[in-house]
Every structure is written in C-alpha cells, then in structure tokens.
Amino acid sequence: MTQATSASDAGAAVRLADSVIRAQAIYSMAANRNVYRAIAVRDEWIVAVSEAPDGLDGLIGPGTKVIDEPGLTILPAFDDDHSHFILAAENLGLVQANQAHSIAELVELIRRRAASAPAGQWIRTSTTWDESNLAERRLPTAVELDQATSEHPVWVKKGGHEGVANSLALHLAGITSATADPPHGTIQRAADGTPTGVLLSAPAMSLIERLIPPPPLEQQVQNLRQACQLYNTYGIGSVRDPIVTREQLLVYQALWERGGLTVRSRPMYLVPTGPAAERTADIASLGVRSGFGDDLLKIWGLKSLMDGGPFAAALDQPYANNPNSSGNPFWQTDDLVEVANFAVRRGWRIGIHAIGDRAVRTVLDAYERVTADNPGLKPGTLVIEHAFLADETQRARARRLGVGVTVQHPLLYEQGAQLLAGWGKERTGQILPIRSWVEAGVQVSAGSDSPPTSFDPMQALWGMVTRGTKQIGVQGPDEAVDQYTAMQLYTAASAELNWESARRGTLQPRRLADLMAYRTDPITCPVEQLLGLRPVFTMVGGRVVYDRESLFDEQG
Ligand SMILES: [Zn+2]
C-alpha cells in the first residue's frame, strides 16, 4: 500500500524526486507508529513514503538518486532538547581537559597551551570533563594549576556549576581570604581560610568569568561550523540551546548566512535571577521573541534557573551528606511570576532549570499562577528543564497545567556518584522518572545537557533503556523505557517541544527531510549494541550533511 502525498506530486507536471531511498525499515516515529520501506525526498522535503520497497518507483527520473540498501534502517534525525551547542563549539577551541587522567596530566596540557600563548592571555579548558576521570578523583587546586604557568590566568571549568582558577586569576578577580561568598555562590576555602581556587555555582564563577574576553567572532563561527559537522556524524539534525547570549546569537547568524549551520538550532536567552523590574527591562530590550527565525535558526525562548547542580539543588529534605542544608530556590516565587507574566504576554516561551523536588514544586507553583493569570496560554509555553525529582502529585500538576518537561539521562549517568553522595540512595533512584512522565501524559522530550555530558544520543538512549550510570550501576530501573519510546522522545517529541511537529520530527510527507540511516536497527537491536552505534548518513532538510560510505556520491 502506498501513501504517496497525492497524485499530482507524482504527476508529469512536477519535478520528480531528488532521491528515493529503499530500506529495511523506515520508522515514521509518528503517532500511528507506521513503518515504511521507501521514502522520497525533493528539495528540503519528504514528498512520499511507501510500505512497498518499489512503491515510489514512479517518482524516479533521470536526475533521481536511488539508494537501494535493504539493510538500512532510517529514522528521523536526532533532536537534542537541551544541548549547550554554542558552548560545545567554544570547547572545541579550548584545552581538552577530558584527555587528562591525572592532575599532573591536566597541568601538562595547560602548560603546553600556555607555552604558545602571549603572557596575560587567559588559558581555559573545555567544560566537558569530570574529575572522576582523574586518578585523584577531585578538582585541582589553584596551587597545582600554578605549576603550569604563573604568566597566564587559568580557568578550569567543569560543566556549568564548578570551576577552578589559578592564583593569578584569583588575584585578577580580587578573590582573597577576606572576600565574602556572593549570594548563592561559594568560594571554597582551605582550613586556614585561603581560597583553594574552586568556585561553586554561577554567582561565584562569574567573579572570574566576567573578566574573560570572548574569542574573536571569526574563531567562534569556525568553532560552530566544526561542531555542526561533528554532531551531524552522530545523526543530530537539531538542538535546543539553553543558554545563548546576545553576542553568541551573532555567531549563529553568521554561520547561518554562510550556509554552514547544518544543525537546526533553537537558542534560549538566559534571564538571570534578580529583581523583577530589572529582569522585565532586560526582556523588553531583547527586541525579538519566541518563534523569530526560520527552519534552521529560530529563537525558542527564555531560560532561567531555580536551582543549581547536584550540590546546589533545592531539596525538600536535607542533603544526605549535610543534614543542616537542603539548598535554596534561586527565585522568589512572586518575582518569578511577575517576570513570567511579563514574558508570556509578549509572546515568550520559558524553560526553567529545576532539579531538586523543592525547586520543581516552586516552579510549578509559579507556573500555576502564570497559567491562571493568562487564560488560554498554549500548552508547552512553560517548560521545566530536567525536573529530576517529581512525584506523582507534581507530575499530575505538570500535565494539568500543560507544562512541558525535558529530560536528560546523561546527567544521571555522569553525575550519579555526586548525586548519590548528596541526595542518598532513595532519592537518586527516583531521579528522572521518565517512564512515569510518559505514562502521566506529560509533554516530555529527551536530550543530553552536553556539555558536560556526552552529546552522543545513542549513549542517552542506552541510558533511558537501561537506567545505567557511569559509576553507581543501575538507578531506578522502574523508570526505564523501551527503545522505541526512547527514540521517540529524542526525535518526534523534541520537535513537538519546539512546536514544529507540523514541519519536522517525523518521517511522513510534507515534513522536512531530516533523517539518519543505520546498518543496525536501533529499535530492535540488543540494547548493548546501541553504545557506539553511528549513522551511515545524515540528511538535514534534504541536504546530505554526513555520508560515511559515500552512498550519495555521483558514482555511488
Ligand atoms: Zn543545561
């Protein structure tokens, strides 16, 4: 049975398909769960699909590329719902801290970079690493980093919530034993009060980061181009980038203009915690709003944070390793409601980072008031990022309020040991209740939160299916989902989070031709085979952006 778009599409009056692909299985990932055997692409679009391998042969003309590969499995390209893509791009140009296996090796990598940099220039590491890869299993100190250079300020950042400065950087920032901790931030100190170099949480890290000049625009554009090419080799066709500054949007636009943006990007502007009047003025001055852009580059919305990382989460019960603390939400609920009301009335969508149960509940408290204040708000206008701890009551509220939820198993995979230490066994097993989110009918989608985590979607899929982690084994096996569901959350559901289901995210006619092909079927293969699985080719908007086996070459 053929589900061609219409008779006229296949008629003689219009150009025939640019490519027709015949494969073992072409998963539509649409609600009907249809699986096809042939798909036709013309320009940017999927124009027809067929359950019969030869069902689209009528669309083949002299200029049509025919890929006849009965072993291939075709799926919608990955859409990572929470990917710090511009940061990943920037990381490509920095010291690759993930290559170090000890503090001495890390110091050596920094020393080598410093040797070719003029004195005074900042030396920074990529944020995509973790101290669990170091023999010492801890962050370095300022004194240790000083062994690499005393001529350059050094900033060794890990993920989004921790960083280490060398002594020169501490000096330039004016951080001494007399410096008080900024609100919601910690300057880590030795027993005698001397700063160790370690700064915890954004408010403390910004003491250093505000001093670091951005790389030249041209360098940033080249980094982003390289990141696009790299992500395409993993089948990634779209990302939603949760923190993009106004300056970084220029990087996206420059690459978009040059035709190099081969990963569809959905930037979010960060709205820091602060007085409502200041924040609403910020938002008013942005000049655009959600939805501005085209299919390649489009503003998603605003981003803010209700709490921090594993040790800066706002929890209902105290930390397992610190009975005197349960963390604090960053926002006053009244302020957040005022800012969110202002934003949604100007057409903005909002995603708020919340991991602790108290943070998730506080965001939902605010969202409940915002939905009451703004009747008819479109479901999915308000989103919670991560939502690590959310019990049945909070899940039901999210469903009732039309709040979207984004989940990223790679965080649990990578940070499991810290979460176990800080949150204890019971809470760690409850983190990311993905299956329960799906069963509660909440609009949920999946991603990586890379960096610091891996951006490899197959690792995330493996994690969602096994609930496995890097160091602490399986956590919360009841929240595992099957391979089809995991793939659906990482493709079609992410397109839905972007309100773009009518244009992309599934393989059916009149959708953008964003697809990837595998020699092993990721839906039916043994779960361990997912790890390391890479596509044969990736197509974004009908353009072949990765072609490992040169299947699309003229002679191919
Ligand atoms: Zn993030």
Side-chain angles (χ1 to χ4, degrees):
M1 188 186 76
T2 300
Q3 190 191 329
T5 46
S6 67
S8 68
D9 274 0
V14 294
R15 192 155 54 82
L16 298 173
D18 294 329
S19 55
V20 168
I21 305 166
R22 305 190 193 109
Q24 174 65 39
I26 299 171
Y27 291 94
S28 68
M29 288 292 160
N32 58 22
R33 294 198 166 211
N34 282 357
V35 182
Y36 305 108
R37 296 292 306 279
I39 186 166
V41 172
R42 190 175 62 223
D43 299 320
E44 291 177 273
W45 302 94
I46 297 166
V47 289
V49 290
S50 169
E51 288 174 9
D54 58 358
L56 304 179
D57 287 3
L59 295 172
I60 298 171
T64 305
K65 181 77 198 175
V66 178
I67 304 285
D68 190 9
E69 293 281 340
L72 283 186
T73 300
I74 313 271
L75 296 145
F78 284 120
D79 184 346
D80 187 332
D81 74 7
H82 190 118
S83 169
H84 294 275
F85 193 44
I86 197 81
L87 182 63
E90 192 178 302
N91 274 330
L92 291 174
L94 303 176
V95 174
Q96 301 298 298
N98 59 330
Q99 292 171 2
H101 303 98
S102 66
I103 288 173
E105 284 184 26
L106 180 60
V107 166
E108 180 55 28
L109 290 173
I110 295 166
R111 180 186 294 135
R112 263 187 252 157
R113 179 64 64 106
S116 60
Q121 190 172 88
W122 283 83
I123 308 290
R124 297 158 63 199
T125 65
S126 70
T127 58
T128 322
W129 69 283
D130 193 87
E131 68 268 32
S132 61
N133 290 334
L134 304 178
E136 295 85 353
R137 301 215 165 215
R138 62 168 173 84
L139 296 172
T141 64
V143 173
E144 285 166 334
L145 295 178
D146 291 347
Q147 295 162 17
T149 173
S150 55
E151 309 278 288
H152 305 79
V154 174
W155 178 232
V156 176
K157 187 172 177 178
K158 188 207 89 177
H161 307 282
E162 291 165 71
V164 192
N166 71 347
S167 296
L168 180 56
L170 289 174
H171 172 75
L172 291 174
I175 299 171
T176 67
S177 29
T179 310
D181 285 350
H184 305 300
T186 304
I187 299 169
Q188 197 188 77
R189 295 160 209 273
D192 66 354
T194 320
T196 61
V198 175
L199 301 173
L200 302 172
S201 263
M205 295 193 299
S206 75
L207 298 174
I208 294 285
E209 294 189 317
R210 65 188 178 195
L211 303 176
I212 305 175
L217 178 70
E218 190 52 34
Q219 181 63 51
Q220 295 184 64
V221 175
Q222 290 314 322
N223 289 344
L224 187 59
R225 184 190 293 276
Q226 211 187 326
C228 283
Q229 291 164 355
L230 177 65
Y231 279 42
N232 289 154
T233 69
Y234 285 78
I236 299 170
S238 303
V239 297
R240 176 167 166 271
D241 188 338
I243 299 185
V244 176
T245 64
R246 298 175 198 211
E247 293 76 17
Q248 287 169 331
L249 196 63
L250 285 172
V251 181
Y252 272 117
Q253 185 171 352
L255 189 60
W256 169 85
E257 280 163 357
R258 299 179 200 182
L261 193 66
T262 58
V263 174
R264 302 187 192 280
S265 302
R266 304 293 178 257
M268 298 167 76
Y269 280 123
L270 181 67
V271 179
T273 314
E278 266 177 38
R279 297 292 89 102
T280 53
D282 267 3
I283 294 166
S285 74
L286 288 171
V288 293
R289 59 179 165 82
S290 294
F292 178 71
D294 68 0
D295 287 319
L296 277 174
L297 178 58
K298 185 181 290 184
I299 306 279
W300 188 88
L302 303 174
K303 163 78 182 293
S304 200
L305 289 93
M306 183 53 92
D307 62 356
F311 296 123
L315 297 167
D316 276 328
Q317 302 300 325
Y319 279 88
N321 57 353
N322 183 359
N324 298 318
S325 168
S326 54
N328 286 307
F330 291 177
W331 281 93
Q332 305 287 334
T333 311
D334 285 350
D335 281 345
L336 181 56
V337 170
E338 189 180 334
V339 172
N341 272 339
F342 182 91
V344 300
R345 286 167 191 163
R346 277 159 185 77
W348 281 102
R349 303 180 66 188
I350 304 170
I352 300 183
H353 166 117
I355 66 169
D357 38 11
R358 184 163 172 220
V360 170
R361 185 163 41 76
T362 309
V363 172
L364 285 169
D365 289 348
Y367 280 174
E368 183 149 34
R369 286 169 55 187
V370 173
T371 36
D373 291 347
N374 299 276
L377 204 60
K378 184 171 167 177
T381 300
L382 304 172
V383 171
I384 302 181
E385 311 293 324
H386 321 307
F388 272 10
L389 292 183
D391 63 13
E392 205 179 337
T393 307
Q394 304 310 326
R395 295 194 294 265
R397 285 178 86 194
R399 154 89 201 187
R400 180 167 50 79
L401 297 170
V403 168
V405 170
T406 74
V407 294
Q408 301 80 21
H409 181 88
L411 285 168
L412 177 58
Y413 175 84
E414 200 69 51
Q415 301 176 347
Q418 290 120 293
L419 287 160
L420 188 62
W423 298 21
K425 193 168 170 29
E426 194 186 338
R427 280 183 295 198
T428 301
Q430 294 167 350
I431 288 171
L432 289 169
I434 298 179
R435 182 174 170 178
S436 297
W437 283 122
V438 172
E439 287 176 355
V442 173
Q443 188 196 317
V444 58
S445 59
S448 66
D449 205 4
S450 168
T453 54
S454 165
F455 64 86
D456 178 358
M458 283 300 173
Q459 198 203 76
L461 254 62
W462 172 88
M464 287 190 270
V465 173
T466 63
R467 298 286 297 185
T469 66
K470 189 173 173 181
Q471 292 171 302
I472 58 165
V474 169
Q475 297 294 318
D478 291 351
E479 294 297 346
V481 295
D482 58 60
Q483 279 153 265
Y484 189 97
T485 303
M487 182 65 81
Q488 199 271 342
L489 293 176
Y490 225 108
T491 55
S494 289
E496 196 170 329
L497 169 78
N498 287 296
W499 290 350
E500 295 178 49
S501 299
R503 295 184 71 76
R504 61 179 187 88
T506 52
L507 301 185
Q508 50 183 322
R510 296 189 183 82
R511 297 300 185 281
L512 289 162
D514 294 0
L515 50 89
M516 55 187 181
Y518 290 89
R519 293 249 172 245
T520 299
D521 183 337
I523 304 295
T524 57
C525 72
V527 63
E528 295 307 324
Q529 283 185 26
L530 290 176
L531 292 172
L533 202 58
R534 299 275 285 275
V536 177
F537 66 82
T538 307
M539 190 184 271
V540 175
R543 177 176 170 189
V544 179
V545 293
Y546 175 62
D547 185 11
R548 192 176 69 203
E549 297 180 3
S550 305
L551 294 176
F552 286 85
D553 279 4
E554 284 315 309
Q555 299 79 12

